[in-house]
Amino acid sequence: MTADAHRTLPDGRPIPLLTGEELPMLESWPAFHRATLELKCAGLDDEQARTASAEPSPLTLLGLVQHLAEVERNWFQRAFAGLDVPPVFADRTGYALDADRGLDEALTAWPREIARGRELIAGRSPEDTGRIVDGPMTGVEVSLRWVLVHLIEEYARHNGHADILHERIDGVTGV
């Protein structure tokens, strides 16, 4: 374990590894981005989490959390592990809001998906592969390395959205 493995920022987010082996370093970046999204949602009520960014976009923090739960399930369970699992929520993208589902439910489902993904990749090599299960690239082989790099990109992009959404809610910017 490297010296920076347990360091955190003042807000509690884990600092991604700065040195060390490839797989732990690749895994440390999604951990940082997941903690960033969690921080963006902290203390919000359901109404705030359902606040859309700006017309015409219906994007919300609740929708982002749901979407990223679906992303976690898709890449680790479906693509990497080859499991045939249903969507976490009714809409496979996760963006659709259900009047009966609040932020607490989404913030409970999302970490379950993260934990399951971690279980499935434990002890695996960055070179191990799975296959994309839908869309225009169905059947294309991808490595765990590619999945993790893609996950970093996905979270980084959506955390930018989360910054804008949170700013619209209460004027707070960045984290």
Side-chain angles (χ1 to χ4, degrees):
M1 181 141 327
T2 61
D4 53 72
H6 296 292
R7 291 183 28 208
T8 60
L9 294 171
D11 59 22
R13 289 178 296 158
I15 296 173
L17 295 178
L18 304 171
T19 60
E21 294 183 21
E22 179 185 23
L23 190 57
M25 186 175 288
L26 286 172
E27 290 175 309
S28 75
W29 277 100
F32 168 78
H33 284 296
R34 291 168 181 140
T36 299
L37 182 60
E38 185 177 8
L39 202 58
K40 286 292 179 188
C41 295
L44 298 180
D45 60 31
D46 286 343
E47 183 180 340
Q48 291 169 316
R50 291 172 178 277
T51 301
S53 58
E55 292 295 330
S57 175
L59 188 63
T60 65
L61 280 168
L62 176 56
L64 281 178
V65 173
Q66 293 175 166
H67 171 68
L68 288 162
E70 296 292 354
V71 164
E72 295 276 354
R73 180 170 282 195
N74 183 61
W75 288 110
F76 292 116
Q77 293 182 52
R78 289 187 187 107
F80 186 70
L83 302 176
D84 183 17
V85 291
V88 179
F89 304 107
D91 170 34
R92 197 171 197 145
T93 70
Y95 288 120
L97 302 184
D98 180 322
D100 295 328
R101 183 182 318 110
L103 185 58
D104 286 346
E105 184 178 343
L107 288 173
T108 299
W110 174 49
R112 278 196 312 257
E113 296 307 311
I114 293 167
R116 181 67 176 127
R118 285 180 175 150
E119 289 172 11
L120 292 169
I121 68 171
R124 303 298 297 269
S125 164
E127 290 82 21
D128 288 345
T129 61
R131 294 201 178 274
I132 295 175
V133 295
D134 57 17
M137 294 175 46
T138 298
V140 172
E141 187 176 56
V142 292
S143 68
L144 177 56
R145 176 184 295 106
W146 186 93
V147 169
L148 288 166
V149 169
H150 175 68
L151 201 68
I152 293 164
E153 175 271 330
E154 181 100 10
Y155 270 94
R157 181 166 31 98
H158 289 315
N159 277 335
H161 298 138
D163 281 338
I164 294 166
L165 288 159
H166 198 113
E167 183 177 6
R168 179 164 169 84
I169 292 165
D170 63 11
V172 174
T173 58
V175 195

